[in-house]
Amino acid sequence: RKEVEQDPGPFNVPEGATVAFNCTYSNSASQSFFWYRQDCRKEPKLLMSVYSSGNEDGRFTAQLNRASQYISLLIRDSKLSDSATYLCVVNHNFNKFYFGSGTKLNVKP
Amino acid sequence: DTAVSQTPKYLVTQMGNDKSIKCEQNLGHDTMYWYKQDSKKFLKIMFSYNNKELIINETVPNRFSPKSPDKAHLNLHINSLELGDSAVYFCASSQVLGSGSTEAFFGQGTRLTVV
């Protein structure tokens, strides 16, 4: 079983739409959680950390459900520039990051 | 200022050759990594070093040998390159915290093509 599982998509949405991504992780001892964004032929970059209480950064909202081992990312009012691959990332043992396979988002005009 | 820098950005080489990729971070982090991203875009950890000590070796063939001369540098040497080694290799760094870790910062990647 993979450490982190995500729906690969692609999600094709119009500008202005709200879109949600989910991922599940297998290790209940995981300590830190993140969403990364990766553009084509670029390195992954942190979008936001995910906290147990849930957190919001502008149009982006992340949620963590430790009991269900589930992480979500909500993007409101999608922009063309949001088109990218979104990677769910889980850290445990302090120095081991596990990446999901990524969910591809295409925002269309 | 580039936080994590790796060189070269592109590497095209023939099967059987030996090559190295260098990585440096100026963030003062204590942990560095090598990841491999294959053609299916899946990022898989290869190695993790904490304060120059090898922490993780994820069943990588022993043709791959990381070296960390100090905690700001983690190089990757690959012997006897094979076609299946073609991928993008990312270096990353992070800082261990009491309750987990900071996020990982990535270098721009090295696109290795073995012909």
Side-chain angles (χ1 to χ4, degrees):
Chain A
R1 187 185 169 186
K2 285 184 183 172
E3 294 280 345
V4 181
E5 304 241 26
Q6 287 183 255
D7 180 346
F11 284 54
N12 298 308
V13 303
E15 270 186 292
T18 295
V19 61
F21 305 138
N22 305 314
C23 91
T24 56
Y25 59 96
S26 60
N27 192 325
S28 60
S30 299
Q31 295 139 328
S32 306
F33 308 88
F34 309 92
W35 281 102
Y36 275 70
R37 171 192 169 133
Q38 187 172 24
D39 293 288
C40 189
R41 302 179 80 86
K42 297 283 189 183
E43 73 272 24
K45 289 185 178 175
L46 179 72
L47 178 67
M48 58 197 302
S49 301
V50 187
Y51 304 116
S52 297
S53 52
N55 48 300
E56 190 173 304
D57 183 2
R59 299 181 292 109
F60 299 86
T61 301
Q63 298 272 356
L64 168 64
N65 184 323
R66 283 189 186 267
S68 303
Q69 295 178 205
Y70 169 96
I71 306 164
S72 66
L73 176 69
L74 183 77
I75 305 176
R76 289 180 298 278
D77 189 23
S78 299
K79 310 289 183 195
L80 293 176
S81 57
D82 293 335
S83 297
T85 297
Y86 290 82
L87 301 161
C88 178
V89 184
V90 169
N91 173 277
H92 57 256
N93 291 340
F94 298 106
N95 47 25
K96 200 166 186 179
F97 289 84
Y98 288 99
F99 283 75
S101 54
T103 300
K104 190 168 172 59
L105 172 66
N106 296 316
V107 181
K108 312 266 187 198
Chain B
D1 282 346
T2 304
V4 182
S5 60
Q6 57 183 107
T7 54
K9 191 172 179 182
Y10 299 97
L11 188 51
V12 180
T13 188
Q14 291 189 321
M15 278 175 58
N17 283 351
D18 303 339
K19 291 293 177 186
S20 292
I21 308 171
K22 296 187 175 182
C23 179
E24 175 181 4
Q25 54 98 1
N26 63 5
L27 297 165
H29 287 165
D30 59 4
T31 305
M32 295 185 72
Y33 312 82
W34 279 108
Y35 279 84
K36 179 180 180 180
Q37 189 167 43
D38 58 27
S39 56
K40 293 183 181 173
K41 308 300 183 188
F42 183 60
L43 262 165
K44 188 169 179 191
I45 190 165
M46 300 172 69
F47 301 102
S48 167
Y49 270 71
N50 179 264
N51 285 317
K52 303 194 302 175
E53 299 295 324
L54 178 65
I55 302 297
I56 295 166
N57 178 342
E58 283 287 303
T59 59
V60 178
N62 58 15
R63 297 183 295 105
F64 291 78
S65 51
K67 275 207 173 60
S68 182
D70 55 61
K71 71 175 195 177
H73 294 83
L74 180 61
N75 304 322
L76 183 66
H77 188 76
I78 316 170
N79 288 329
S80 304
L81 277 154
E82 299 177 357
L83 292 176
D85 297 333
S86 296
V88 182
Y89 292 83
F90 285 102
C91 177
S93 74
S94 70
Q95 178 67 37
V96 170
L97 303 173
S99 57
S101 173
T102 64
E103 69 269 28
F105 290 79
F106 283 80
Q108 63 185 4
T110 296
R111 189 170 294 273
L112 172 64
T113 303
V114 183
V115 296

